[in-house]
Every structure is written in C-alpha cells, then in structure tokens.
Amino acid sequence: MSPVLLMAIGLAIFALGYFVYSRYLAKRVYRLNDDFTTPSHELRDGVDYVPTNKFVLWGHHFTSVAGAAPIVGPAVALIWGWVPAFLWVTLGTVFFAGMHDFGALWASVRNKGQSIGALSGRYIGKRGAGLFLIVIFILLLMVIAAFSVVITNLLIATPTAVIPAWGAIGVALLVGVAVYRMRLPLLPVTVVGVAALYGLILLGDAVPVVIPENFLGMTPTVFWILALFIYGAFASLLPVWVLLQPRDYINGVQLFIGLILLYGAVVIGMFVSDGAHEIVAPAINTNVPDGTPSIVPLLFVTIACGAISGFHGMVSSGTSSKQLDKETDSRFVGYFGAVGEGLLALGTIIAISAGLRTVAEWEELYSAFGEAGVQSFIQGGGMLMESGLGLPASLSSTVLATMAVLFAATSLDTGFRLMRFVVQEMGDRVNLRIGKYAATGVVLVLGMGLTFSQGLGAEGGLRIWPLFGTTNQLMASLTLLILAVMLIRKRRNPWPALIPLVIVFSMSFWAAIDQLFSFTTPGSQDWLLFVIDCIIIVSSVLVAVEGIRAIVRAVNEPAEPEDEDAKRTAVREEV
C-alpha cells in the first residue's frame, strides 16, 4: 500500500473528528459558554493562573502531552502489523482521546481549575479520591523517571541534538519576555523564535556534543540525568509564562514544521524515481516473534499516548485549565491537542512502516517484542526525508531527534509541576501543609531514587516502563468515569464518555492482570513491579466500585440546575 494513501486517509479521519465530532461535543455535550469566567481570570496569580492566548496554550498543552510516548507506543505496536496500529491511532484519537482531553479540560475549568484528583473527591467520593491520587502519583513517577532516561539515551545516541535541545530553553525565555513583557505581536515573535530554533538545529548538526566517559567524575548517563532533574525542578517552580508556555508553544510550532517535512517527504517521494516508497510492514502480522504478547489487550495499552492517555487528563486539569482564557478555547486546546498527538503517532507509523526499504529490514527490526522505539522512528523518518526532500541523512536525523527530545522534555517538566501539585494535595489530606519548594524536593528525591534504583546506569528509570501503558490507560478510564458522572448529573448525553470508559477500562484492567502473572514467571520475576501492579489493580477496582455507586446516585438525584454552571460571569481583558 502507498504511504501517501494511508496518510491521506488518516488526515481525513482527524479532520472529520475535529470539524464534526468535536463541534458536537462543544455544543451538545459540554455546552461551552464564553460568559463563564475561567479560573485563569477568577484566580489569576501570575504564576500558575495566567490567561493565555489559545495558540500559545495549545502549544503548551500539545507538547506537554506528546512526549516520546506517541513515538514509542506505535513503534512497538507495529509488530502486530500496521492496520491495527493505524485504526487504534485514528479512531482512538477521534472518539476516545479527543473526548477525554477536551472533557478533562472542561471539567477542571468548571471547577476552578481543580485537578482530576481533586475532582474525584467531589464526583466519586472521598474514598475514591484518595485511591485516585495513588494511581496519579505512580503514573507521574513513571513519567519523570522513564522520560529522563529516554531523553538521556537520545542525547547520547544523537549528539547533534544536544545544542538545539538545550538552546531551545534560551529561545523560549526570549519568546516569553517578548510576548508578556514587551507585548510584541505573536506572529513575528513566532517566526523569529522558530528561525532561531532551526538555526540551532543547523548548528547542532555541524557541532555534535559528546560527553566524555568520565566527565566531572560522572558517566554521560549520570551527567545528563542530573542535568535534566535540576532543569525539571527549576522549570516547575518558575511562573508558567517565563518558560513553560513559550517553550511548549515554540516546540509545538516546530513539531508541525517537522511533521510537514515528514509528510511532505512522503508525497514528494512519489515523484522522485529513486525515492518512492511503499509500506513494507505487513498489514496484519500473523507470524510474530516468540515472546510477543497477544494483540488483545496489549495493543490498547502499548499505544497509549497517540490514542488515549491518562497523562493528558492530568495536564488538562493540572496546568492547561489554569491558563484557559475563554471556555470556548477548550475545544481547540483540548481536542485539537489530541489530534496533534494523533498526527505524531500516524507519522511514526508511516516513518517506520514505509521508511525502511525492504521487508527483510523490517523483520530484522521486529525480531523481538519491544526492540523498536524512538531510534526506529528517527531512522525511518530520516530515510524518508533524505530520499523525498534531499536533506542530508545527518540533518534529517537531527531534526527528528530534536523533535523527540523537546517533546519528552516538555512532558518531563510538566510532570514535575503536576507531581509537585499531587505531593501538596496529599499533604493537605493529612493536614500537613507542604510548600512548593519542599514538594519539589520530594519529587526530586523520589524521581532520582527510582531512576538510579538499579545502579548508575539508570536502569531503574525504565524498569517501571512495562506498567506505564497499563497505568496510563487505567488513569484515562478513571477520568472518563468522572466525566460520565458529571454529564449524568447535568442530564446531558453521557454515552460519548461511557462507551470509551467501558472499552478502555476493560482492556487496561485485562492487561494489568495479564502482566501481574508475567512478573511471577520463573526466570523473569520482578517483585517490585508485581507489588506496584497489585496496588494499581486494587486501587482501580475500588475506584471503579465507588464510581459505579456515584453513577447510580447521579441517575437517582435531581439534575444539577444549568445556572449553577454559569453563575459567575465577568468581563475579560484581551489576551
């Protein structure tokens, strides 16, 4: 099959989802109202609550939720064939991820910017909320530990990405000052910022940075991980307009340029005699290697980000809801943010399934489950860009590696900020007030403790990765549970939330049980993951029981009056 046709079908599905289904959700299900005063105005503090232009906020939201997972997940899942991965990425984005991300943002905005964990107390109950926080805490710890190792491996494997990855911080700081302090128009600032970022990519390609094996008494792995944790701690404490917003916005623009280059290379490749590509991956792989788990339920948790992800709900309710200027902006920020992630996942599928030249190359890459990953995306996408656009192989790899590093880094610093919120919220539950600096210290200690728990090679950071997809999807189902309760209380159509809820919870819970037994298999025993999996399973079951009770109560109780939502209105300043 032609990758151009696959790309066209995928883009058409995403377009229908945004222009048709998200419009239905906005008008009939969530009933967005611009007269409602968003938390960014009501609770404005200049640090976390900051009214933000929707394009800038979309950049923050999208790059925070993207990370490396929508690359890693589809890359691994292609072992079952490109058709299952394609269908779950496209249909999952339209009917699952878009509804979930958009809904989490709306729910938080309607509740003064409260996080999903805090909302669970109101809509599910105190017992459910406490258990909910446990799942959130574990998931964020996974994000911080695993993504720090993923970024480190990329910086070591692709030293040409070092200068643009770290130089992007300086570009973001200047963009933040230009927009928020100098009040310069967004468009010219964007053009200059993106030009500077791509200038750094050219510089990085010419000047690779390789850390010596013994640098300041540390290995390259230890050095980069320490640098990332220090960066994440500082970034999580700064006001969002200083670094978080502008960095994520410029990264978001840079991603779309990168995707245009990748998709453009596919199209142009049709007209270049020596650059034409066909999909070499099997549509459905019936001859998977030994040790490959069953496609059901593992497909649905392997491709988490890129179809639906619980981490997205935490970003929507943790940072994005506190920056939303107008409630109607939530459709663009939340739903289109999910579409952006779907575009990245689709690009990964095309890059790997069509970027490799022969079936033999593909079979070698997929000789064992879990072998493919970010480097496979960089390799395949680099080949497409080299043959289609004529870009040198090194520069193509640098562009794609920088994309991957910057997205993973934005998820890392957002994860730091969100986990700091969770630590403070846990303290409040036991009447212990924890300041933001102390909470950040707790995050640092726990994150680095897990990352280096297996030694200075940072093997501990990825040790917990097998449970990431499962925990992520369970978290998504619990967020959908809150949305379903809210919609039932308001006597609105709950089925857009209930149907994804049943499917996602069933698949992720099935996967959690399946993995539980694999952790006790002789020769591959892992009692740490076994205990964590047990905690996740028990917590999820108890939250689900509380959720079913909450649904029954919502059905039997009188409907919430509509004016309860719109009782606070005010005039907003132009952002």
Side-chain angles (χ1 to χ4, degrees):
M1 183 177 181
S2 167
V4 176
L5 180 58
L6 185 65
M7 179 185 74
I9 294 172
L11 294 178
I13 293 173
F14 290 145
L16 286 171
Y18 181 71
F19 291 109
V20 178
Y21 188 56
S22 77
R23 193 182 301 274
Y24 164 76
L25 293 174
K27 290 186 175 181
R28 298 300 182 90
V29 178
Y30 299 135
R31 300 181 188 176
L32 304 184
N33 180 6
D34 269 348
D35 289 331
F36 182 79
T37 304
T38 59
S40 68
H41 291 277
E42 184 180 4
L43 304 173
R44 185 170 187 164
D45 62 4
V47 178
D48 295 316
Y49 294 85
V50 179
T52 304
N53 177 286
K54 70 176 182 180
F55 297 103
V56 175
L57 182 56
W58 175 86
H60 153 70
H61 178 83
F62 164 52
T63 53
S64 293
V65 302
I71 298 175
V72 176
V76 174
L78 277 170
I79 199 167
W80 293 300
W82 63 262
V83 168
F86 174 80
L87 290 177
W88 180 226
V89 162
T90 53
L91 299 180
T93 294
V94 169
F95 294 108
F96 291 66
M99 191 278 170
H100 169 275
D101 297 11
F102 183 6
L105 184 55
W106 164 78
S108 179
V109 166
R110 286 286 171 164
N111 288 275
K112 298 190 176 185
Q114 289 185 320
S115 69
I116 285 295
L119 291 179
S120 62
R122 176 177 178 182
Y123 292 101
I124 297 180
K126 291 184 178 180
R127 284 178 297 184
L131 295 165
F132 211 106
L133 276 178
I134 294 174
V135 179
I136 293 174
F137 185 85
I138 292 174
L139 178 56
L140 287 174
L141 189 60
M142 290 178 182
V143 168
I144 291 171
F147 278 29
S148 66
V149 178
V150 169
I151 298 169
T152 294
N153 291 341
L154 280 170
L155 293 175
I156 293 174
T158 316
T160 54
V162 172
I163 288 178
W166 289 98
I169 298 174
V171 174
L173 291 171
L174 293 175
V175 168
V177 171
V179 172
Y180 286 100
R181 286 295 178 262
M182 301 176 67
R183 300 290 180 180
L184 297 179
L186 183 61
L187 182 59
V189 172
T190 301
V191 172
V192 173
V194 172
L197 184 56
Y198 273 87
L200 288 169
I201 289 175
L202 291 173
L203 178 61
D205 188 55
V207 187
V209 177
V210 179
I211 301 296
E213 282 304 313
N214 189 349
F215 183 68
L216 300 177
M218 295 177 284
T219 64
T221 298
V222 173
F223 173 78
W224 283 129
I225 287 178
L226 288 177
L228 288 166
F229 270 92
I230 292 171
Y231 158 75
F234 276 105
S236 71
L237 293 169
L238 291 172
V240 291
W241 68 267
V242 174
L243 180 59
L244 191 71
Q245 283 182 358
R247 172 191 169 94
D248 294 354
Y249 171 67
I250 288 296
N251 287 351
V253 176
Q254 184 261 153
L255 166 71
F256 259 75
I257 293 174
L259 286 177
I260 289 171
L261 291 174
L262 180 60
Y263 286 143
V266 174
V267 175
I268 295 173
M270 287 196 309
F271 306 102
V272 180
S273 59
D274 62 347
H277 288 266
E278 292 293 326
I279 293 177
V280 298
I284 298 176
N285 190 8
T286 57
N287 188 29
V288 296
D290 292 339
T292 302
S294 171
I295 187 173
V296 179
L298 262 295
L299 171 71
F300 299 93
V301 297
T302 300
I303 302 180
C305 301
I308 183 172
S309 164
F311 181 65
H312 295 194
M314 288 189 285
V315 174
S316 293
S317 65
T319 58
S320 300
S321 64
K322 297 174 176 63
Q323 303 169 56
L324 198 74
D325 178 37
K326 298 184 293 185
E327 190 175 57
T328 49
D329 291 348
S330 59
R331 174 174 168 247
F332 179 78
V333 174
Y335 196 98
F336 194 62
V339 169
E341 179 122 334
L343 287 169
L344 180 55
L346 176 61
T348 300
I349 292 172
I350 294 173
I352 297 178
S353 60
L356 302 179
R357 301 305 179 98
T358 65
V359 175
E361 285 185 18
W362 187 90
E363 290 177 341
E364 181 180 355
L365 177 62
Y366 286 91
S367 59
F369 182 73
E371 289 295 313
V374 178
Q375 287 299 329
S376 307
F377 165 72
I378 294 173
Q379 176 188 346
M383 288 182 179
L384 286 176
M385 292 170 67
E386 181 185 8
S387 59
L389 301 178
L391 293 178
S394 174
L395 181 59
S396 299
S397 297
T398 301
V399 170
L400 295 176
T402 301
M403 282 174 52
V405 170
L406 290 181
F407 291 146
T410 53
S411 293
L412 179 69
D413 57 32
T414 301
F416 257 92
R417 187 177 292 261
L418 293 175
M419 194 168 178
R420 188 242 297 172
F421 292 157
V422 171
V423 169
Q424 291 177 294
E425 190 172 336
M426 285 180 156
D428 291 340
R429 288 186 171 275
V430 294
N431 297 319
L432 177 63
R433 184 173 179 81
I434 303 176
K436 64 179 182 180
Y437 297 107
T440 302
V442 171
V443 175
L444 267 174
V445 170
L446 292 177
M448 292 181 65
L450 177 60
T451 305
F452 292 118
S453 62
Q454 300 298 298
L456 295 180
E459 295 86 355
L462 290 179
R463 182 183 180 188
I464 206 168
W465 186 261
L467 281 175
F468 173 76
T470 302
T471 309
N472 205 11
Q473 299 301 70
L474 283 169
M475 181 67 214
S477 65
L478 298 179
T479 301
L480 289 168
L481 176 60
I482 291 174
L483 293 178
V485 173
M486 287 185 68
L487 294 174
I488 292 171
R489 280 190 176 188
K490 298 177 186 300
R491 298 299 185 262
R492 300 179 190 174
N493 181 11
W495 292 109
L498 285 173
I499 293 174
L501 164 62
V502 172
I503 295 173
V504 174
F505 185 82
S506 299
M507 292 297 105
S508 53
F509 189 74
W510 182 357
I513 296 296
D514 189 57
Q515 287 177 309
L516 187 67
F517 290 107
S518 70
F519 296 143
T520 61
T521 303
S524 60
Q525 294 174 332
D526 195 317
W527 295 110
L528 173 62
L529 294 186
F530 177 82
V531 171
I532 293 174
D533 199 8
C534 287
I535 294 172
I536 293 169
I537 290 171
V538 172
S539 299
S540 300
V541 169
L542 294 176
V543 172
V545 171
E546 295 293 325
I548 292 172
R549 291 175 178 172
I551 289 176
V552 172
R553 287 196 304 269
V555 170
N556 294 325
E557 291 174 351
E560 285 186 353
E562 288 295 327
D563 60 357
E564 181 73 16
D565 281 341
K567 65 183 180 182
R568 298 189 314 274
T569 59
V571 178
R572 283 178 301 270
E573 63 186 274
E574 190 67 26
V575 174

